[in-house]
Amino acid sequence: MSVSVGNQIYILPLVHIIESIQPQTEQLKFLAKERLLRVREEYLPLLNLYQLMEIEPQAKTPEAGIVVLLESNNKRFGLCVDALVGQQQVVIKSLEKHYRRIPGVSGATIMGDGSVALILDVESLALHIKN
């Protein structure tokens, strides 16, 4: 699934996606300085992709953007993005071979328009969640 934050496109592997929602203010809570999203009687922690990637977003709050609910091997959480771009198959290219290791990124792909999109590593993103 392709998502956007600011003017960047990122790829999320479909195997980790539960669903995507546009949350309402009443679904959001703070607990010990951590933002939580209530979905079907369950509270899930939220990560802001713009903060992790250190870029300027179009939507600075979850209500203004989209939350993609993800599941890693041991955690479920929400990832805040600006928008969903679409679903497509991509070819993964290793960044370590040509560049260096980037935290939270498993590789890159070249999009149909020639731009490069980073493929997010959901397992390493889950490490940012406090237990």
Side-chain angles (χ1 to χ4, degrees), residues 37-125:
L37 173 67
R38 185 174 185 201
V39 180
R40 288 184 286 288
E41 307 306 318
E42 181 180 9
Y43 284 95
L44 301 174
L46 291 177
L47 289 177
N48 288 310
L49 188 56
Y50 78 89
Q51 290 176 328
L52 296 171
M53 295 299 164
E54 298 178 3
I55 59 174
E56 189 63 33
Q58 293 176 1
K60 290 195 177 190
T61 64
E63 308 96 291
I66 300 288
V67 174
V68 182
L69 302 179
L70 300 171
E71 185 167 33
S72 70
N73 282 338
N74 53 5
K75 293 181 183 162
R76 292 168 59 125
F77 62 97
L79 186 67
C80 301
V81 300
D82 289 345
L84 300 177
V85 177
Q87 181 178 325
Q88 61 193 45
Q89 291 184 353
V90 298
V91 177
I92 300 171
K93 300 287 185 183
S94 172
L95 284 178
E96 291 180 51
K97 184 176 177 182
H98 302 288
Y99 183 57
R100 65 177 169 86
R101 175 93 174 110
I102 299 174
V105 174
S106 61
T109 190
I110 299 173
M111 304 297 283
D113 64 0
S115 64
V116 174
L118 297 177
I119 301 167
L120 298 174
D121 179 4
V122 174
E123 298 300 330
S124 67
L125 291 178

